[in-house]
Amino acid sequence: MFFTYLRRELRRRRKAALVVASGLALGIALVIVVNSVSSGMGKAQDKVLQSLYGLGTDMTVTKAATPTASGSQQPRFQFDANNNGDSKTQSSDRVMVQGFTTLASTTVTKVAGQKGVSDAVGGLSLNVVKVDGQFTRGQFQQNQGSGTGGGGNRGGGTGAPQGEVTGGGANFNINSYSVYGTDVTKPALGPLTSSKITSGRTFTTAEANSKVVVADSAYAKEKKLKVGSTVTIKSVKYKVIGIATATSGDAAANLYIPLTQAQTLSGDKNKVTTIYVKATDSKQISAVKKTITSNVSGTTVTTSADLADTVSGSLSTASSLATSVGKWLSIAVLIAAFLVAGLLTSSAVSRRVREFGTLKALGWKSGRVTRQVVGEAVVNGLVGGVLGIALGLAGAYVVTAISPTLSASLGSTAAGGRAGGGPGGGGGGFGGGRQAAAKTLDVALTAPVNATTIALAVGLAVAGGLIAGAFGGWRASRLRPADALRRVE
């Protein structure tokens, strides 16, 4: 009887039911779109941050660079002058630690042993300045009549030959690039994880001290490198075994070599600049940061949340709008939809006074009448939920299809660190060498809809129906059979 009467009433009052369902549908659709866009912005921001620190890394441990005497850290080059006509080319490399003061390799073990740390790996960020070219000695040409013989030097002459230096000069090229020493025994952590090997292969665990290198694709294109090519760093030849392409943003470094080789090149044996840390529980990152800061003195711990604060631009602005204005707007519209649905249901009950009064006169209890009204409202809510989900999915699809581009500016994250020079002066992530000039990345926005969002929509539909039914049920429960007799024409 309940379902039969319910079906007949919904058919008879289709327009009123559609109005209630449409109001709920608009509120639910807006909630779905806002949640989907917010989720897409979160993914876009994660993509930007992963370009800094790589996949799997929750935080980094570094030590700010200590102030040094002026010029003490500047590279120095010495060249011998060639004789006139000698075309010999001279070359000199200077390998310097980039960005931070080095930490002892034992610090990596100490960090790995802290509570809440799943794994830790060290890396060494270097900057190489290469100068090559020619320096030709000039020739001294004596002026005619300026010889030292005779009395030509009377009156205070110096007795030195008079003349000028002609010819000679210097012609040098300066090339600066970044090199990152990575621990090949733990490939799951570190900045190389933010790049994808597009040619050749990556390091093997057996190549901890091998003279092999993985080149960033942009740098390889600029220098015309390919798998099998040879790269010379400080007179040491390295074989290119792979080409890596950054999945988003800029690469962490131009070249990647085994950590031991990087330590040898820079003369920093058993030293690292950045320690990449993975937490056992991503929800306990703040607690792990506090533990490392307390137990490993003199270090700076940077988490992804810290980096997120340095992201600015349209991505940051849109994310803030979606989080604040968008969510509050969707909540306001949803509340308004619930109230409208409740008022419309209550109004419909007032127009059915004669019907409900007659049913009570025939023996229907107030509870049965209330259940009937609530049942109709819940069905209206479910219909509104289906329409809202359809509209929300369509809106999310439109956003993904248009895929608007948002810009993200990555500011400096390394206080006190000196900027790396030259192209690709990054190298470390979480501020591990990327503290040079701010970089701007373009990220395409999507609006993914997950099962949680759909479940939320269904819950809101049921809640809307119950709220509307509560309004109408309360009104219906107060009706008396005598009211029906007053409405008889």
Side-chain angles (χ1 to χ4, degrees):
M1 181 65 181
F2 173 80
F3 292 104
T4 301
Y5 190 83
L6 179 66
R7 184 176 64 254
R8 289 176 178 175
E9 285 302 312
L10 290 175
R11 285 181 178 178
R12 194 160 62 94
R13 306 178 188 280
R14 283 176 294 186
K15 291 184 178 180
L18 185 60
V19 170
V20 174
S22 298
L24 292 173
L26 290 175
I28 292 171
L30 183 59
V31 171
I32 291 176
V33 171
V34 170
N35 274 273
S36 301
V37 171
S38 297
S39 177
M41 289 180 180
K43 290 180 179 294
Q45 194 169 64
D46 289 342
K47 191 175 182 180
V48 171
L49 296 180
Q50 285 170 5
S51 71
L52 289 177
Y53 57 79
L55 297 171
T57 302
D58 293 316
M59 65 191 77
T60 58
V61 179
T62 56
K63 185 176 182 180
T66 55
T68 56
S70 178
S72 61
Q73 295 296 321
Q74 299 300 321
R76 298 178 62 86
F77 301 90
Q78 293 182 345
F79 297 96
D80 295 328
N82 295 336
N83 294 323
N84 196 23
D86 187 352
S87 60
K88 180 182 178 182
T89 299
Q90 301 181 66
S91 177
S92 180
D93 290 353
R94 288 296 180 268
V95 180
M96 301 171 292
V97 172
Q98 177 175 259
F100 297 101
T101 298
T102 56
L103 298 165
S105 296
T106 54
T107 310
V108 179
T109 306
K110 187 174 182 180
V111 170
Q114 300 301 310
K115 182 180 179 181
V117 175
S118 172
D119 200 2
V121 61
L124 185 63
S125 181
L126 303 175
N127 181 253
V128 181
V129 180
K130 182 181 181 65
V131 178
D132 59 351
Q134 298 176 348
F135 180 36
T136 305
R137 189 191 308 273
Q139 300 295 319
F140 177 79
Q141 291 186 352
Q142 183 175 340
N143 294 336
Q144 295 182 357
S146 62
T148 59
N153 290 324
R154 294 178 181 178
T158 62
Q162 300 297 311
E164 60 180 354
V165 177
T166 60
N171 181 19
F172 288 96
N173 295 318
I174 300 178
N175 179 31
S176 177
Y177 57 94
S178 58
V179 177
Y180 191 81
T182 181
D183 190 341
V184 300
T185 62
K186 295 182 178 181
L189 285 177
L192 188 54
T193 58
S194 63
S195 296
K196 181 180 179 181
I197 300 297
T198 53
S199 179
R201 62 176 179 84
T202 187
F203 302 105
T204 64
T205 55
E207 293 175 325
N209 196 26
S210 300
K211 293 180 175 61
V212 290
V213 61
V214 172
D216 172 60
S217 58
Y219 184 76
K221 182 178 180 181
E222 177 188 348
K223 300 300 180 181
K224 298 181 180 180
L225 299 176
K226 59 182 180 179
V227 176
S229 299
T230 299
V231 175
T232 303
I233 307 175
K234 203 174 181 179
S235 302
V236 180
K237 293 184 178 181
Y238 293 86
K239 181 180 179 181
V240 178
I241 60 172
I243 304 296
T245 302
T247 54
S248 63
D250 294 334
N254 300 133
L255 300 173
Y256 302 89
I257 62 176
L259 177 58
T260 304
Q261 284 292 318
Q263 292 169 337
T264 302
L265 285 175
S266 63
D268 294 290
K269 186 178 181 181
N270 297 324
K271 298 287 186 179
V272 297
T273 53
T274 309
I275 301 174
Y276 298 85
V277 181
K278 182 178 182 180
T280 54
D281 185 356
S282 59
K283 297 180 181 180
Q284 300 297 323
I285 291 178
S286 296
V288 176
K289 174 182 177 179
K290 185 176 180 180
T291 300
I292 296 175
T293 303
S294 300
N295 298 336
V296 186
S297 60
T299 59
T300 301
V301 182
T302 308
T303 66
S304 56
D306 298 328
L307 280 184
D309 293 337
T310 71
V311 177
S312 59
S314 60
L315 173 60
S316 178
T317 303
S319 180
S320 298
L321 287 175
T323 302
S324 55
V325 179
K327 286 190 176 181
W328 283 112
L329 177 63
S330 62
I331 291 173
V333 171
L334 194 62
I335 292 175
F338 285 175
L339 290 176
V340 170
L343 292 175
L344 289 176
T345 303
S346 179
S347 176
V349 170
S350 66
R351 292 194 299 270
R352 298 168 65 184
V353 171
R354 186 172 60 182
E355 174 189 342
F356 290 138
T358 303
L359 291 174
K360 282 192 172 185
L362 294 175
W364 277 42
K365 301 295 183 181
S366 295
R368 185 175 181 182
V369 174
T370 300
R371 287 194 298 273
Q372 193 69 45
V373 174
V374 172
E376 294 175 12
V378 170
V379 171
N380 287 337
L382 292 175
V383 172
V386 172
L387 293 176
I389 290 174
L391 288 174
L393 290 176
Y397 175 79
V398 170
V399 173
T400 303
I402 297 175
S403 191
T405 300
L406 301 177
S407 63
S409 298
L410 307 176
S412 173
T413 59
R418 55 188 174 81
F430 274 125
R434 280 191 178 273
Q435 66 288 2
K439 299 178 184 298
T440 300
L441 305 177
D442 291 331
V443 184
L445 177 64
T446 60
V449 180
N450 51 40
T452 303
T453 303
I454 299 298
L456 176 63
V458 174
L460 291 174
V462 174
L466 290 175
I467 291 173
F471 275 89
W474 174 79
R475 184 72 180 273
S477 66
R478 294 171 59 86
L479 294 176
R480 295 176 299 170
D483 294 331
L485 299 177
R486 296 194 189 101
R487 298 295 182 93
V488 175
E489 297 177 354

